[in-house]
Amino acid sequence: METDAQNPLDHGNALRRLIAERACERLVVEFVRRLDLGDPADVAELFTPDGVWEWAEGERRIEGRDALRAYFAGRPADRLSRRLCTNILVTLTSASTATAGTYFTTYRVDGHTGGMLPPRLPVQVGRYEDAFRESDGRWLLAERRLFLDFGGPTARLSPADSPSAPGTRI
């Protein structure tokens, strides 16, 4: 399959490329949606059975869907997070493989008990480098590497930080 975006393609090939690229873009977005709004353990279902999640710095490498499920299920239940993804660039490398780069920003606190919070700075800004594989008509993450350009600790809210605390107005 041609991968150079500058080369003209026949319409059938162009449509297959668009569908594959869109499926991979959707995985990028679905990943953060499940972490932020769903059951974080469900993120594992977006990976191939031998999928890998790796932080480029440090010694965090999780391999296999079961290990990924356990890792993401360990997220604190009182964590509020929102991730923004942008500049998603998918490149098909064959008819059944692709790569992508995505910039992300993470806003996150622990100890959240509900309600809207005052604005905060992001705790992470970086990029994902992904490898995708199509299997049985479904695109999945084969590998995700996380690179942080900016990072800090996740704040833990105190009861005084609660939107329902006396004197708290947003």
Side-chain angles (χ1 to χ4, degrees), residues 44-77:
E45 301 308 315
L46 303 176
F47 284 85
T48 59
D50 61 345
V52 174
W53 163 266
E54 181 175 24
W55 287 55
E57 302 212 11
E59 308 225 357
R60 192 178 308 183
R61 180 179 171 91
I62 318 307
E63 295 183 51
R65 197 178 275 160
D66 290 338
L68 288 161
R69 187 176 295 107
Y71 173 77
F72 288 112
R75 172 189 156 117

Side-chain angles (χ1 to χ4, degrees), residues 8-16:
L9 302 171
D10 66 70
H11 292 296
N13 198 22
L15 183 57
R16 284 189 297 278

Side-chain angles (χ1 to χ4, degrees), residues 70-91:
Y71 173 77
F72 288 112
R75 172 189 156 117
D78 63 355
R79 176 165 286 170
L80 172 66
S81 64
R82 294 294 180 265
R83 289 167 181 81
L84 308 176
C85 290
T86 187
N87 298 16
I88 302 169
L89 180 60
V90 176
T91 302

Side-chain angles (χ1 to χ4, degrees), residues 75-131:
R75 172 189 156 117
D78 63 355
R79 176 165 286 170
L80 172 66
S81 64
R82 294 294 180 265
R83 289 167 181 81
L84 308 176
C85 290
T86 187
N87 298 16
I88 302 169
L89 180 60
V90 176
T91 302
L92 262 57
T93 53
S94 77
S96 61
T97 61
T99 60
T102 304
Y103 295 150
F104 71 88
T105 303
T106 304
Y107 296 85
R108 180 173 62 212
V109 295
D110 288 344
H112 185 255
T113 58
M116 184 171 62
L117 298 173
R120 298 177 170 269
L121 292 174
V123 296
Q124 295 177 332
V125 177
R127 74 183 193 281
Y128 296 127
E129 295 291 334
D130 295 325

Side-chain angles (χ1 to χ4, degrees), residues 16-26 90-92 139:
R16 284 189 297 278
R17 176 191 303 271
L18 286 171
I19 291 170
E21 288 174 350
R22 180 63 185 117
C24 293
E25 289 171 359
R26 187 170 176 89
V90 176
T91 302
L92 262 57
W139 285 89

